[in-house]
Amino acid sequence: METTLIILKPDAFAGQKIGATITRFEQAGFQIVGCKMISLDEAKLKEHYSHIADKPFFPELAGFMGSRPVIVMALRGQGIIDRVRLLVGPTNSAEAPAGTIRGDFGADKMHNIVHASDSAESAEAELKRFFVDGEIF
Ligand code: ADP
C-alpha cells in the first residue's frame, strides 16, 4: 500500500468540482486516510513549488493557490502514486484527455483542479509538509 498527497485547488471549489473529484478517487478504490482544509501562505507555496519557484508564472500561481483555503488529502491504495497521476492527467488541462480529472474539469496549465505527488519520494516529503503525526489514519 502507498499513500499520496492530494491538494484540491481553488478552481475545484470555484467550479464546484470537489465532490466530483473525490468521487473519481473513491471509484478507483482509494481510501481517504487524511483530510483537512488549510490556507497556503507564500512560504509554504515556495517550499511546495520549490522546483518552479523561479519561473515567471510562479507569482501568479502563488496568488491562485493562496486565493482561498484548499483541501489537502492523504489517499491510500495499491500503486496509488502512479495510478492517481494517470487519473489526474497531464499538467495542462487543455491537453489532458477526456476521462481524466484535469481533462474533464480543468481549464488550463495553471487551473488544473488537483495536485498529486509525482513519486514515492515526493509523496513522503509532501505528506510530512502538510500533515503532522496523528492526522493520517
Ligand atoms: P504537476 O502539478 O502536473 O506535477 P508541475 O509540478 O510542473 O506540474 O507544476 C506545478 C503546478 O504549477 C501545476 O499543477 C500548475 O498549477 C502550475 N503550472 C505548471 N506549469 C505552468 C505553466 N507553464 N503556466 C502556469 N502554471 C503552471
Side-chain angles (χ1 to χ4, degrees), residues 59-111:
E60 195 188 340
L61 176 64
F64 163 58
M65 291 297 293
S67 63
R68 59 149 296 140
V70 297
I71 288 176
V72 289
M73 284 176 43
L75 213 56
R76 187 168 294 156
Q78 210 85 44
I80 193 170
I81 294 167
D82 290 344
R83 287 172 62 207
V84 160
R85 293 281 294 188
L86 287 174
L87 204 62
V88 164
T91 307
N92 188 352
S93 303
E95 292 172 0
T100 64
I101 292 169
R102 286 170 169 171
D104 292 349
F105 305 143
D108 51 35
K109 275 187 191 159
M110 183 170 296
H111 306 94

